């Protein structure tokens, strides 16, 4: 080996280090971390479903009250014929319109009132063609409902008067 005059402070080249231990430790830490994540990590809390508490009761449920009003609890006024013919012997028939008042004598509201209209001649004989109409409006308890321009269709030409009778009624919900 030759010695160079300015090489007394010569830099020595380091030797390759053996990193085997560091690599093994790194793999071991990585394996532990993966095992924790996959098998031992905290699981998210499962939702808890709480059902309402049902108490056993020996009592029977309270019976439902079913209101069944009778037809006579609704009073219908005598229909007022709004458009009577000016000439009873007229050739052209038009739609008959009446006005009437329904009164509820129940302590609860009603609806679905079915009214039968009958037609009568000069001697008060029933004529054919009676008509039933249903009124679905709600009448309050002890209330009234005025119906105007109720169309009864074409009326028999011999009609002199119209009468109304309530056939059925239902309690309003």
């Amino acid at each position: 080996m030759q010695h160079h005059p300015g090489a007394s402070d010569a830099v020595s080249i380091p030797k390759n280090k053996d990193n085997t231990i560091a690599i093994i430790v790194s793999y071991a830490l990585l394996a532990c971390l993966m095992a924790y994540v996959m098998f031992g990590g905290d699981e998210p809390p499962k939702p808890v479903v709480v059902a309402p508490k049902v108490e056993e009761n020996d009592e029977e449920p309270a019976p439902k009250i079913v209101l069944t009003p009778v037809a006579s609890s609704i009073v219908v006024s005598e229909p007022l014929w709004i458009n009577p013919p000016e000439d009873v012997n007229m050739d052209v028939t038009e739609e008959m319109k009446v006005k009437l008042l329904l009164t509820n004598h129940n302590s609860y509201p009603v609806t679905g009132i079915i009214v039968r209209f009958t037609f009568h001649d000069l001697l008060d004989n029933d004529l054919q063609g009676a008509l039933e109409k249903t009124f679905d409006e709600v009448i309050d308890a002890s209330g009234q409902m005025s119906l105007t321009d109720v169309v009864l269709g074409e009326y028999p030409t011999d009609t002199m008067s119209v009468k109304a009778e309530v056939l059925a009624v239902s309690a309003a919900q």
Side-chain angles (χ1 to χ4, degrees), residues 39-52:
F39 301 113
D42 290 327
E43 294 180 11
K46 295 180 181 177
V48 177
V49 178
V50 178

Side-chain angles (χ1 to χ4, degrees), residues 38-168:
M38 292 177 66
F39 301 113
D42 290 327
E43 294 180 11
K46 295 180 181 177
V48 177
V49 178
V50 178
K53 184 177 180 181
V54 178
E55 295 182 16
E56 291 186 21
N57 194 351
D58 293 337
E59 297 177 21
E60 293 182 20
K64 289 186 176 182
I65 298 173
V66 178
L67 302 174
T68 53
V70 293
S72 61
S73 66
I74 305 298
V75 175
V76 60
S77 67
E78 195 67 32
L80 175 63
W81 191 353
I82 296 174
N83 62 339
E86 296 189 20
D87 180 9
V88 176
N89 297 322
M90 64 183 201
D91 295 330
V92 179
T93 58
E94 56 183 272
E95 290 185 333
M96 175 184 276
K97 294 180 185 175
V98 295
K99 176 181 179 179
L100 60 132
L101 181 69
L102 296 173
T103 305
N104 179 10
H105 288 288
N106 293 295
S107 60
Y108 48 86
V110 296
T111 187
I113 303 166
I114 301 172
V115 179
R116 180 183 345 162
F117 294 93
T118 55
F119 308 105
H120 302 271
D121 65 8
L122 188 58
L123 300 174
D124 204 29
N125 295 321
D126 284 346
L127 299 172
Q128 291 182 351
L131 176 70
E132 292 181 8
K133 286 196 114 2
T134 302
F135 300 100
D136 291 324
E137 294 87 355
V138 175
I139 303 176
D140 292 329
S142 302
Q144 293 183 334
M145 180 174 62
S146 178
L147 299 167
T148 57
D149 292 332
V150 176
V151 176
L152 300 180
E154 291 183 5
Y155 52 86
T157 55
D158 295 333
T159 300
M160 293 304 288
S161 66
V162 181
K163 294 183 181 176
E165 172 189 11
V166 176
L167 299 178

